Structures are given as structure tokens and as C-alpha cells.
Amino acid sequence: MDAASACSSCSFDDVEGGAERVCAGCGHRAFIADSEEFWEDADPGEAGCPCGGEEFETAVAFSLAGDGSVRWVTVGLRCRKDGAVGVYADWKIDYSPTDHLLTKV
């Protein structure tokens, strides 16, 4: 597994909608999609697997409207310890334009 595609710390707020991750390879912190805009109001929790694993591979999915604009962001994680997968956060995007979100994963 490539450490550059894994996070050593993932924080989520499924009420406000948002996610932040820390790269397991380099320690770089990054917000997913538009999370940084709402993070000040967020009450994030740390991701954790029932097996005790705290390092995950991250996947981001975008649901697009007919015009190609982003309508939903979904963040899934795969535990690097036992391989369990799950959706940790998703949130609706209700503004436009949204093209910039596709590059913020």
C-alpha cells in the first residue's frame, strides 16, 4: 500500500459536513472539498476502526447533477489494519460553481 494515499489522522463532522485528513507519508494536512469553509463551526470527531486501526486509505466520491455540478460529497475510508471499509461523512453542496471541489480531495 502506498503511504501517500493514506491518512494517519482523519477528522469528520457529519452534521456540518466536512473532512480533514493528515497524510501518513508526509504529514501534510488537507481539507476535502469545501470543508475548510465550514471547519470553524464544525465539531469534528476522529475516525477509528472497530479493530483499533487508526490509519486509513481515503476515497472521495462526487455525485454530479445533470449540468455536471457537484451536488454531494462522500468520503469513505478503508482501514489499513483489517481492510474494513465505511462511509464516514457525506454532505450536500447547494451552491455553484463547483468545479474547484473536484480537485480538493
Side-chain angles (χ1 to χ4, degrees):
M1 290 181 216
D2 182 5
S5 65
C7 61
S8 62
S9 172
C10 300
S11 302
F12 299 93
D13 184 326
D14 57 0
V15 174
E16 291 296 322
E20 179 189 38
R21 64 185 179 152
V22 177
C23 177
C26 69
H28 176 74
R29 297 182 90 69
F31 289 100
I32 295 174
D34 61 352
S35 300
E36 186 172 16
E37 297 172 35
F38 307 101
W39 207 248
E40 185 175 304
D41 297 325
D43 185 20
E46 292 291 316
C49 182
C51 78
E54 295 180 351
E55 192 168 292
F56 300 90
E57 294 173 346
T58 308
V60 179
F62 299 98
S63 296
L64 305 178
D67 65 359
S69 61
V70 176
R71 288 295 144 229
W72 283 90
V73 178
T74 303
V75 181
L77 300 179
R78 178 179 182 267
C79 178
R80 295 188 83 194
K81 185 174 179 181
D82 73 353
V85 296
V87 172
Y88 279 74
D90 67 339
W91 61 95
K92 184 175 181 168
I93 304 296
D94 59 2
Y95 59 85
S96 194
T98 61
D99 293 345
H100 67 287
L101 299 177
L102 298 172
T103 62
K104 297 184 82 176
V105 296

Coordinates of all heavy atoms in Angstrom, one line a residue:
M1 N 0.8 -1.2 0.0 CA 0.0 0.0 0.0 C 0.9 1.2 0.0 O 1.9 1.3 0.7 CB -0.9 0.0 1.2 CG -1.9 -1.0 1.2 SD -2.9 -0.9 2.7 CE -3.2 -2.6 3.0
D2 N 0.4 2.2 -0.7 CA 1.2 3.5 -0.9 C 0.8 4.4 0.3 O -0.3 4.8 0.4 CB 0.8 4.1 -2.2 CG 1.5 5.4 -2.5 OD1 2.4 5.8 -1.7 OD2 1.3 6.0 -3.5
A3 N 1.8 4.8 1.1 CA 1.6 5.6 2.3 C 1.1 7.0 1.8 O 0.4 7.7 2.6 CB 2.8 5.7 3.1
A4 N 1.4 7.4 0.6 CA 1.0 8.8 0.2 C -0.5 8.9 0.0 O -1.1 9.9 0.0 CB 1.7 9.1 -1.1
S5 N -1.2 7.7 -0.2 CA -2.7 7.8 -0.4 C -3.4 7.4 0.9 O -4.6 7.2 0.9 CB -3.1 6.8 -1.5 OG -2.8 5.5 -1.1
A6 N -2.7 7.4 2.0 CA -3.3 7.0 3.3 C -3.3 8.2 4.3 O -2.3 9.0 4.3 CB -2.6 5.8 3.9
C7 N -4.3 8.2 5.2 CA -4.2 9.3 6.2 C -3.9 8.6 7.5 O -4.4 7.5 7.8 CB -5.5 10.1 6.2 SG -7.0 9.2 6.6
S8 N -3.1 9.3 8.3 CA -2.8 8.8 9.6 C -3.7 9.4 10.7 O -3.8 8.9 11.8 CB -1.4 9.2 10.0 OG -1.2 10.6 10.0
S9 N -4.5 10.4 10.3 CA -5.5 11.1 11.1 C -6.6 11.6 10.2 O -6.3 12.4 9.3 CB -4.8 12.2 12.0 OG -5.8 12.9 12.7
C10 N -7.8 11.2 10.5 CA -8.9 11.7 9.7 C -10.0 12.2 10.6 O -10.4 11.5 11.6 CB -9.5 10.6 8.8 SG -8.4 9.9 7.6
S11 N -10.4 13.5 10.4 CA -11.4 14.1 11.2 C -12.6 14.4 10.4 O -12.5 14.8 9.2 CB -10.9 15.4 11.9 OG -9.8 15.1 12.6
F12 N -13.8 14.1 10.9 CA -15.1 14.3 10.2 C -16.1 15.0 11.1 O -16.2 14.8 12.3 CB -15.7 13.0 9.8 CG -14.8 12.2 8.9 CD1 -13.9 11.3 9.4 CD2 -14.8 12.4 7.5 CE1 -13.0 10.6 8.5 CE2 -14.0 11.8 6.7 CZ -13.1 10.8 7.2
D13 N -17.0 15.8 10.4 CA -18.2 16.4 11.0 C -19.3 16.0 10.1 O -19.4 16.6 9.0 CB -18.0 17.8 11.2 CG -19.2 18.4 12.0 OD1 -20.4 17.9 11.8 OD2 -19.1 19.4 12.7
D14 N -20.1 15.1 10.4 CA -21.2 14.7 9.6 C -22.5 15.6 9.8 O -23.5 15.4 9.1 CB -21.6 13.2 9.6 CG -21.9 12.8 11.0 OD1 -21.9 13.6 12.0 OD2 -22.2 11.6 11.2
V15 N -22.4 16.5 10.7 CA -23.5 17.5 10.9 C -23.3 18.7 10.0 O -24.2 19.0 9.2 CB -23.7 17.9 12.4 CG1 -24.7 19.0 12.5 CG2 -24.0 16.7 13.3
E16 N -22.2 19.3 10.1 CA -21.9 20.5 9.3 C -21.5 20.0 7.9 O -21.6 20.7 6.9 CB -20.7 21.3 9.9 CG -21.1 22.1 11.1 CD -22.1 23.1 10.9 OE1 -22.1 23.8 9.9 OE2 -23.0 23.3 11.8
G17 N -20.9 18.8 7.8 CA -20.4 18.3 6.6 C -19.0 18.8 6.3 O -18.8 19.9 6.1
G18 N -18.1 17.9 6.5 CA -16.7 18.2 6.3 C -15.7 17.2 6.7 O -16.1 16.3 7.5
A19 N -14.5 17.2 6.2 CA -13.5 16.3 6.5 C -12.1 16.9 6.3 O -11.9 17.7 5.4 CB -13.6 15.0 5.6
E20 N -11.2 16.5 7.2 CA -9.8 16.9 7.1 C -9.0 15.6 7.3 O -9.3 14.8 8.1 CB -9.5 17.9 8.3 CG -8.0 18.3 8.2 CD -7.7 19.1 9.5 OE1 -8.2 18.8 10.6 OE2 -6.9 20.1 9.3
R21 N -7.9 15.6 6.6 CA -7.0 14.4 6.7 C -5.6 14.8 6.8 O -5.2 15.9 6.4 CB -7.2 13.5 5.5 CG -6.8 14.1 4.2 CD -7.1 13.2 3.1 NE -6.7 13.8 1.8 CZ -6.3 13.1 0.8 NH1 -6.3 11.8 0.8 NH2 -6.0 13.8 -0.3
V22 N -4.8 13.9 7.4 CA -3.3 14.1 7.6 C -2.7 13.0 6.9 O -2.9 11.8 7.2 CB -2.9 14.2 9.1 CG1 -1.4 14.3 9.2 CG2 -3.6 15.3 9.8
C23 N -1.8 13.2 5.9 CA -1.1 12.2 5.1 C -0.2 11.4 6.0 O 0.6 11.9 6.7 CB -0.4 12.9 4.0 SG 0.6 11.7 3.0
A24 N -0.3 10.1 5.9 CA 0.5 9.2 6.6 C 2.0 9.2 6.1 O 2.9 8.9 6.9 CB 0.0 7.7 6.5
G25 N 2.2 9.6 4.9 CA 3.5 9.6 4.3 C 4.3 10.9 4.7 O 5.5 10.8 5.1
C26 N 3.7 12.1 4.5 CA 4.4 13.3 4.7 C 3.9 14.2 5.8 O 4.5 15.2 6.2 CB 4.4 14.1 3.4 SG 2.8 14.8 3.0
G27 N 2.7 13.9 6.4 CA 2.2 14.7 7.5 C 1.4 15.9 7.1 O 1.0 16.7 7.9
H28 N 1.2 16.1 5.7 CA 0.5 17.3 5.2 C -1.0 17.2 5.6 O -1.6 16.1 5.5 CB 0.7 17.3 3.7 CG -0.1 18.4 3.1 ND1 0.3 19.8 3.2 CD2 -1.3 18.4 2.4 CE1 -0.6 20.5 2.5 NE2 -1.6 19.7 2.0
R29 N -1.5 18.3 6.1 CA -2.9 18.4 6.4 C -3.7 18.9 5.2 O -3.2 19.9 4.6 CB -3.1 19.3 7.6 CG -2.5 18.8 8.9 CD -2.8 19.8 10.1 NE -3.9 19.4 10.8 CZ -4.1 18.3 11.6 NH1 -3.1 17.4 11.6 NH2 -5.2 18.1 12.3
A30 N -4.9 18.4 5.0 CA -5.7 18.9 3.8 C -7.1 18.7 4.1 O -7.6 17.7 4.7 CB -5.3 18.1 2.6
F31 N -7.9 19.7 3.7 CA -9.4 19.6 3.8 C -9.9 19.0 2.5 O -9.3 19.2 1.5 CB -10.0 21.0 4.0 CG -9.7 21.6 5.4 CD1 -8.7 22.5 5.6 CD2 -10.5 21.2 6.5 CE1 -8.4 23.0 6.8 CE2 -10.2 21.7 7.7 CZ -9.2 22.6 7.9
I32 N -11.0 18.3 2.6 CA -11.6 17.6 1.5 C -12.7 18.5 1.0 O -13.5 19.0 1.8 CB -12.1 16.2 1.8 CG1 -10.9 15.3 2.2 CG2 -12.9 15.6 0.7 CD1 -11.2 14.0 2.7
A33 N -12.7 18.8 -0.3 CA -13.8 19.6 -1.0 C -13.8 21.0 -0.3 O -12.8 21.6 -0.2 CB -15.1 18.9 -1.0
D34 N -15.0 21.4 0.1 CA -15.2 22.7 0.7 C -15.1 22.7 2.2 O -15.6 23.7 2.9 CB -16.5 23.3 0.2 CG -17.7 22.6 0.6 OD1 -17.6 21.4 1.2 OD2 -18.8 23.0 0.4
S35 N -14.6 21.7 2.8 CA -14.6 21.5 4.3 C -14.0 22.7 5.1 O -14.5 23.1 6.1 CB -13.9 20.3 4.7 OG -14.5 19.1 4.1
E36 N -12.9 23.3 4.5 CA -12.2 24.4 5.2 C -13.2 25.6 5.5 O -13.1 26.2 6.5 CB -11.0 24.8 4.4 CG -10.2 25.8 5.2 CD -8.8 26.1 4.5 OE1 -8.7 25.7 3.3 OE2 -8.0 26.7 5.2
E37 N -14.1 25.8 4.5 CA -15.0 26.9 4.7 C -15.9 26.8 5.9 O -16.4 27.8 6.4 CB -15.9 27.0 3.4 CG -15.1 27.3 2.1 CD -15.9 27.3 0.9 OE1 -17.1 27.6 1.0 OE2 -15.4 26.8 -0.1
F38 N -16.2 25.6 6.3 CA -17.1 25.4 7.4 C -16.5 24.8 8.7 O -17.2 24.6 9.7 CB -18.2 24.4 6.9 CG -18.9 24.8 5.7 CD1 -18.5 24.3 4.4 CD2 -19.8 25.8 5.7 CE1 -19.1 24.7 3.3 CE2 -20.4 26.3 4.5 CZ -20.1 25.7 3.3
W39 N -15.2 24.6 8.6 CA -14.5 23.9 9.7 C -14.6 24.7 11.0 O -14.6 24.1 12.1 CB -13.1 23.6 9.3 CG -12.5 22.4 10.0 CD1 -11.5 22.4 11.0 CD2 -12.9 21.1 9.8 NE1 -11.2 21.2 11.4 CE2 -12.1 20.3 10.7 CE3 -13.8 20.4 9.0 CZ2 -12.2 18.9 10.8 CZ3 -13.9 19.0 9.1 CH2 -13.1 18.3 10.0
E40 N -14.6 26.0 11.0 CA -14.7 26.8 12.2 C -15.9 26.4 13.0 O -15.9 26.5 14.3 CB -14.6 28.3 11.9 CG -14.6 29.1 13.1 CD -14.4 30.6 12.7 OE1 -13.4 30.9 12.0 OE2 -15.2 31.4 13.2
D41 N -17.0 26.1 12.4 CA -18.3 25.8 13.0 C -18.4 24.3 13.3 O -19.4 23.9 13.9 CB -19.5 26.3 12.2 CG -19.5 27.8 12.0 OD1 -19.1 28.5 13.0 OD2 -19.8 28.3 11.0
A42 N -17.5 23.5 12.8 CA -17.6 22.1 12.9 C -17.2 21.6 14.3 O -16.6 22.2 15.1 CB -16.6 21.4 11.9
D43 N -17.7 20.4 14.6 CA -17.4 19.6 15.8 C -16.9 18.3 15.4 O -17.6 17.3 15.5 CB -18.6 19.5 16.7 CG -18.3 18.9 18.0 OD1 -17.2 18.9 18.5 OD2 -19.3 18.4 18.7
P44 N -15.6 18.2 14.9 CA -15.2 17.0 14.3 C -14.8 15.9 15.3 O -14.4 16.2 16.4 CB -13.9 17.5 13.5 CG -13.4 18.7 14.2 CD -14.7 19.3 14.8
G45 N -15.0 14.7 14.8 CA -14.5 13.5 15.6 C -13.5 12.8 14.8 O -13.4 12.9 13.5
E46 N -12.6 12.1 15.4 CA -11.6 11.3 14.8 C -12.1 10.0 14.3 O -12.9 9.3 14.9 CB -10.4 11.0 15.7 CG -9.6 12.3 16.1 CD -8.8 12.8 15.0 OE1 -8.2 12.1 14.3 OE2 -8.8 14.1 14.8
A47 N -11.7 9.6 13.1 CA -12.1 8.3 12.5 C -11.3 7.2 13.3 O -10.2 7.3 13.7 CB -11.7 8.2 11.1
G48 N -12.0 6.1 13.5 CA -11.4 4.9 14.1 C -12.1 3.7 13.7 O -13.3 3.7 13.4
C49 N -11.4 2.6 13.5 CA -12.0 1.3 13.1 C -12.3 0.5 14.4 O -11.5 0.6 15.4 CB -11.0 0.6 12.2 SG -11.6 -1.0 11.6
P50 N -13.3 -0.4 14.3 CA -13.6 -1.2 15.5 C -12.4 -2.1 15.9 O -12.3 -2.5 17.0 CB -14.8 -2.1 15.0 CG -15.5 -1.2 14.0 CD -14.4 -0.5 13.3
C51 N -11.5 -2.4 14.9 CA -10.4 -3.3 15.2 C -9.3 -2.5 16.0 O -8.3 -3.1 16.4 CB -9.8 -3.9 13.9 SG -8.7 -2.7 13.0
G52 N -9.5 -1.2 16.1 CA -8.5 -0.4 16.8 C -7.6 0.4 15.8 O -6.8 1.2 16.2
G53 N -7.7 0.1 14.5 CA -6.9 0.8 13.5 C -7.2 2.2 13.4 O -8.4 2.6 13.5
E54 N -6.2 3.1 13.2 CA -6.4 4.5 13.0 C -5.8 5.1 11.8 O -5.7 6.3 11.6 CB -5.9 5.2 14.3 CG -6.7 4.8 15.5 CD -6.2 5.5 16.8 OE1 -5.1 6.2 16.7 OE2 -6.9 5.4 17.8
E55 N -5.3 4.2 10.9 CA -4.7 4.6 9.7 C -5.5 4.1 8.5 O -5.9 2.9 8.5 CB -3.3 4.2 9.5 CG -2.5 4.8 8.4 CD -1.0 4.6 8.5 OE1 -0.4 5.1 9.4 OE2 -0.5 3.9 7.6
F56 N -5.9 5.0 7.6 CA -6.9 4.6 6.6 C -6.4 5.0 5.2 O -5.7 6.0 5.0 CB -8.2 5.3 6.8 CG -8.8 5.0 8.1 CD1 -8.6 5.7 9.3 CD2 -9.7 3.9 8.3 CE1 -9.1 5.4 10.5 CE2 -10.3 3.6 9.5 CZ -10.0 4.3 10.6
E57 N -6.9 4.3 4.2 CA -6.9 4.8 2.8 C -8.1 5.6 2.6 O -9.2 5.2 3.1 CB -6.8 3.6 1.8 CG -5.5 2.8 2.0 CD -5.5 1.6 1.2 OE1 -6.6 1.1 0.7 OE2 -4.4 1.0 1.0
T58 N -8.0 6.7 1.9 CA -9.1 7.6 1.8 C -9.7 7.6 0.3 O -8.9 7.6 -0.6 CB -8.7 9.1 2.1 OG1 -8.0 9.1 3.3 CG2 -9.8 10.0 2.1
A59 N -11.0 7.6 0.2 CA -11.6 7.7 -1.1 C -12.7 8.8 -1.0 O -13.4 8.9 0.0 CB -12.3 6.4 -1.5
V60 N -12.8 9.6 -2.1 CA -13.8 10.7 -2.1 C -14.6 10.5 -3.4 O -14.0 10.3 -4.5 CB -13.1 12.1 -2.2 CG1 -14.1 13.2 -2.3 CG2 -12.2 12.3 -1.0
A61 N -15.9 10.5 -3.2 CA -16.8 10.4 -4.4 C -17.7 11.7 -4.5 O -18.0 12.3 -3.5 CB -17.7 9.2 -4.2
F62 N -17.9 12.0 -5.7 CA -18.8 13.2 -6.0 C -20.0 12.8 -6.8 O -19.9 12.1 -7.8 CB -18.0 14.2 -6.9 CG -16.8 14.7 -6.2 CD1 -15.5 14.2 -6.5 CD2 -16.9 15.8 -5.3 CE1 -14.4 14.7 -5.8 CE2 -15.7 16.3 -4.6 CZ -14.5 15.7 -4.9
S63 N -21.2 13.2 -6.3 CA -22.4 13.0 -7.1 C -22.7 14.2 -7.9 O -22.7 15.3 -7.3 CB -23.6 12.7 -6.2 OG -23.4 11.5 -5.5
L64 N -22.9 14.1 -9.2 CA -23.0 15.2 -10.0 C -24.4 15.4 -10.5 O -25.1 14.4 -10.7 CB -22.1 15.1 -11.3 CG -20.6 14.9 -11.0 CD1 -19.8 14.7 -12.3 CD2 -20.0 16.0 -10.1
A65 N -24.8 16.7 -10.7 CA -26.1 17.0 -11.3 C -26.0 16.9 -12.8 O -24.9 16.7 -13.3 CB -26.5 18.4 -10.9
G66 N -27.2 17.0 -13.5 CA -27.2 16.9 -14.9 C -26.3 17.8 -15.6 O -25.8 17.6 -16.7
D67 N -26.1 19.0 -15.0 CA -25.2 20.0 -15.7 C -23.7 19.8 -15.3 O -22.9 20.6 -15.7 CB -25.7 21.4 -15.3 CG -25.5 21.7 -13.8 OD1 -25.1 20.8 -13.0 OD2 -25.9 22.9 -13.4
G68 N -23.4 18.8 -14.6 CA -22.0 18.5 -14.2 C -21.6 19.1 -12.9 O -20.4 18.9 -12.5
S69 N -22.4 19.9 -12.3 CA -22.0 20.5 -11.0 C -22.1 19.5 -9.9 O -22.9 18.5 -9.9 CB -22.9 21.7 -10.7 OG -24.2 21.3 -10.5
V70 N -21.3 19.6 -8.9 CA -21.2 18.7 -7.7 C -22.4 19.0 -6.8 O -22.7 20.1 -6.5 CB -19.9 18.9 -6.9 CG1 -19.9 18.1 -5.7 CG2 -18.7 18.7 -7.8
R71 N -23.1 17.9 -6.5 CA -24.3 18.0 -5.6 C -24.0 17.4 -4.2 O -24.6 17.8 -3.2 CB -25.5 17.4 -6.2 CG -26.1 18.2 -7.3 CD -26.6 19.6 -6.8 NE -26.3 20.6 -7.8 CZ -25.8 21.8 -7.5 NH1 -25.4 22.1 -6.3 NH2 -25.6 22.7 -8.4
W72 N -23.2 16.3 -4.2 CA -22.9 15.6 -2.9 C -21.5 15.2 -2.9 O -20.9 14.9 -3.9 CB -23.8 14.4 -2.7 CG -25.2 14.6 -2.3 CD1 -26.2 14.8 -3.2 CD2 -25.7 14.7 -1.0 NE1 -27.4 15.0 -2.4 CE2 -27.1 15.0 -1.1 CE3 -25.1 14.6 0.3 CZ2 -27.9 15.1 0.0 CZ3 -25.9 14.8 1.4 CH2 -27.3 15.0 1.2
V73 N -20.9 15.3 -1.7 CA -19.5 14.8 -1.5 C -19.6 13.7 -0.5 O -20.3 13.8 0.5 CB -18.6 15.9 -0.9 CG1 -17.2 15.4 -0.7 CG2 -18.5 17.1 -1.9
T74 N -19.0 12.5 -0.8 CA -19.0 11.4 0.1 C -17.6 10.9 0.4 O -16.8 10.8 -0.6 CB -19.8 10.2 -0.5 OG1 -21.1 10.7 -0.8 CG2 -19.8 9.0 0.5
V75 N -17.2 10.7 1.6 CA -15.9 10.3 2.0 C -15.9 8.9 2.6 O -16.6 8.7 3.6 CB -15.2 11.3 3.0 CG1 -13.8 10.9 3.3 CG2 -15.2 12.7 2.4
G76 N -15.2 8.0 2.0 CA -15.1 6.6 2.6 C -13.7 6.3 3.0 O -12.7 6.9 2.5
L77 N -13.5 5.4 3.9 CA -12.2 5.0 4.4 C -12.1 3.5 4.4 O -13.1 2.8 4.6 CB -12.0 5.5 5.8 CG -12.0 7.0 6.1 CD1 -11.8 7.3 7.6 CD2 -11.0 7.7 5.2
R78 N -10.9 3.0 4.2 CA -10.5 1.6 4.3 C -9.4 1.5 5.3 O -8.4 2.1 5.2 CB -10.1 1.1 3.0 CG -9.7 -0.4 3.0 CD -9.2 -0.9 1.6 NE -8.9 -2.3 1.6 CZ -7.7 -2.7 1.9 NH1 -6.7 -1.9 2.0 NH2 -7.5 -4.0 1.9
C79 N -9.7 0.7 6.4 CA -8.7 0.5 7.4 C -7.5 -0.2 6.9 O -7.7 -1.3 6.3 CB -9.4 -0.2 8.6 SG -8.2 -0.6 10.0
R80 N -6.3 0.3 7.2 CA -5.1 -0.4 6.7 C -4.7 -1.6 7.6 O -3.9 -2.4 7.1 CB -4.0 0.6 6.7 CG -4.3 1.7 5.6 CD -3.1 2.6 5.4 NE -2.2 2.0 4.5 CZ -1.0 2.4 4.3 NH1 -0.5 3.4 4.9 NH2 -0.2 1.8 3.4
K81 N -5.4 -1.7 8.7 CA -5.1 -2.8 9.6 C -5.9 -4.1 9.2 O -5.3 -5.2 9.1 CB -5.3 -2.4 11.1 CG -4.9 -3.4 12.1 CD -5.1 -2.9 13.5 CE -4.7 -3.9 14.5 NZ -4.9 -3.3 15.9
D82 N -7.2 -3.9 9.1 CA -8.0 -5.1 8.8 C -8.8 -5.0 7.5 O -9.5 -6.0 7.1 CB -9.0 -5.4 10.0 CG -10.1 -4.4 10.1 OD1 -10.2 -3.4 9.3 OD2 -11.0 -4.6 10.9
G83 N -8.7 -3.9 6.7 CA -9.4 -3.8 5.4 C -10.8 -3.4 5.5 O -11.5 -3.4 4.4
A84 N -11.4 -3.2 6.7 CA -12.8 -2.8 6.8 C -13.0 -1.5 6.1 O -12.2 -0.6 6.2 CB -13.2 -2.7 8.2
V85 N -14.2 -1.3 5.4 CA -14.5 -0.1 4.7 C -15.8 0.5 5.3 O -16.6 -0.2 5.8 CB -14.6 -0.3 3.2 CG1 -13.3 -0.7 2.6 CG2 -15.7 -1.3 2.9
G86 N -15.9 1.8 5.1 CA -17.1 2.5 5.5 C -17.2 3.9 5.0 O -16.2 4.5 4.7
V87 N -18.4 4.5 5.0 CA -18.6 5.9 4.7 C -18.6 6.6 6.0 O -19.3 6.3 6.9 CB -20.0 6.1 3.9 CG1 -20.2 7.6 3.8 CG2 -19.9 5.4 2.6
Y88 N -17.7 7.6 6.1 CA -17.5 8.4 7.3 C -18.2 9.7 7.3 O -18.5 10.3 8.3 CB -16.1 8.5 7.6 CG -15.5 7.3 8.3 CD1 -15.2 6.1 7.6 CD2 -15.2 7.3 9.6 CE1 -14.7 5.0 8.2 CE2 -14.7 6.1 10.3 CZ -14.5 5.0 9.5 OH -14.0 3.9 10.1
A89 N -18.5 10.3 6.1 CA -19.1 11.6 6.0 C -19.7 11.8 4.6 O -19.1 11.3 3.6 CB -18.2 12.7 6.4
D90 N -20.8 12.5 4.5 CA -21.3 13.0 3.2 C -22.0 14.3 3.5 O -22.6 14.5 4.6 CB -22.1 11.9 2.5 CG -23.4 11.6 3.2 OD1 -23.6 11.8 4.4 OD2 -24.3 11.1 2.5
W91 N -22.0 15.1 2.5 CA -22.7 16.4 2.7 C -23.1 16.9 1.3 O -22.5 16.6 0.3 CB -21.9 17.4 3.4 CG -20.6 17.8 2.8 CD1 -20.3 18.9 2.0 CD2 -19.3 17.2 3.0 NE1 -19.0 19.0 1.7 CE2 -18.3 17.9 2.3 CE3 -18.9 16.1 3.7 CZ2 -17.0 17.6 2.3 CZ3 -17.6 15.7 3.7 CH2 -16.6 16.4 3.0
K92 N -24.2 17.7 1.4 CA -24.8 18.3 0.1 C -24.1 19.6 -0.2 O -23.8 20.4 0.7 CB -26.3 18.5 0.4 CG -27.0 19.0 -0.9 CD -28.5 19.2 -0.7 CE -29.0 19.6 -2.0 NZ -30.3 19.6 -2.2
I93 N -23.9 19.8 -1.5 CA -23.4 21.1 -2.0 C -24.6 21.8 -2.6 O -25.2 21.3 -3.5 CB -22.3 20.8 -3.0 CG1 -21.2 20.0 -2.5 CG2 -21.8 22.2 -3.6 CD1 -20.4 20.6 -1.3
D94 N -24.9 23.0 -2.1 CA -26.1 23.7 -2.6 C -25.7 25.1 -3.2 O -26.5 26.1 -3.1 CB -27.1 23.8 -1.6 CG -26.6 24.6 -0.3 OD1 -25.5 25.0 -0.3 OD2 -27.4 24.7 0.6
Y95 N -24.5 25.2 -3.8 CA -24.1 26.4 -4.5 C -23.5 26.1 -5.8 O -23.2 24.9 -6.1 CB -23.2 27.3 -3.6 CG -22.0 26.5 -3.2 CD1 -20.8 26.5 -4.0 CD2 -21.9 25.8 -2.0 CE1 -19.7 25.8 -3.6 CE2 -20.7 25.1 -1.6 CZ -19.6 25.2 -2.4 OH -18.5 24.5 -2.1
S96 N -23.1 27.2 -6.5 CA -22.5 27.0 -7.8 C -21.6 28.2 -8.0 O -21.9 29.2 -7.5 CB -23.6 26.9 -8.9 OG -23.1 26.5 -10.1
P97 N -20.5 28.1 -8.8 CA -20.0 26.9 -9.5 C -19.2 26.0 -8.5 O -18.9 26.4 -7.4 CB -19.0 27.5 -10.5 CG -18.5 28.8 -9.8 CD -19.7 29.3 -9.0
T98 N -19.0 24.8 -8.9 CA -18.5 23.7 -8.0 C -17.2 23.1 -8.6 O -16.7 22.1 -8.0 CB -19.5 22.7 -7.7 OG1 -19.9 22.0 -8.9 CG2 -20.7 23.2 -7.0
D99 N -16.8 23.5 -9.8 CA -15.7 22.8 -10.4 C -14.4 22.7 -9.5 O -13.7 21.7 -9.6 CB -15.3 23.5 -11.7 CG -16.3 23.4 -12.8 OD1 -17.2 22.5 -12.6 OD2 -16.3 24.2 -13.8
H100 N -14.2 23.7 -8.7 CA -13.0 23.7 -7.8 C -13.0 22.5 -6.8 O -11.9 22.1 -6.4 CB -12.9 25.0 -7.1 CG -14.0 25.2 -6.1 ND1 -15.3 25.5 -6.4 CD2 -13.9 25.2 -4.7 CE1 -16.0 25.7 -5.4 NE2 -15.2 25.5 -4.3
L101 N -14.2 22.0 -6.5 CA -14.3 20.9 -5.5 C -13.7 19.6 -6.0 O -13.1 18.8 -5.2 CB -15.7 20.7 -5.1 CG -16.4 21.9 -4.5 CD1 -17.9 21.5 -4.2 CD2 -15.8 22.3 -3.2
L102 N -13.7 19.4 -7.3 CA -13.2 18.2 -7.9 C -11.7 18.0 -7.7 O -11.2 16.9 -7.8 CB -13.6 18.1 -9.3 CG -15.1 18.1 -9.6 CD1 -15.4 18.2 -11.1 CD2 -15.7 16.8 -9.0
T103 N -11.0 19.1 -7.4 CA -9.5 19.0 -7.3 C -9.1 19.0 -5.8 O -7.9 18.9 -5.5 CB -8.9 20.2 -8.0 OG1 -9.3 21.4 -7.4 CG2 -9.2 20.1 -9.5
K104 N -10.1 19.1 -4.9 CA -9.7 19.3 -3.5 C -10.1 18.0 -2.7 O -11.0 17.9 -2.0 CB -10.5 20.4 -2.8 CG -10.0 21.8 -3.5 CD -10.7 22.9 -2.8 CE -9.9 23.2 -1.6 NZ -10.3 24.3 -0.8
V105 N -9.3 16.9 -3.1 CA -9.5 15.6 -2.4 C -8.3 15.3 -1.6 O -8.1 14.6 -0.8 CB -9.9 14.5 -3.4 CG1 -11.2 14.8 -4.1 CG2 -8.8 14.3 -4.5

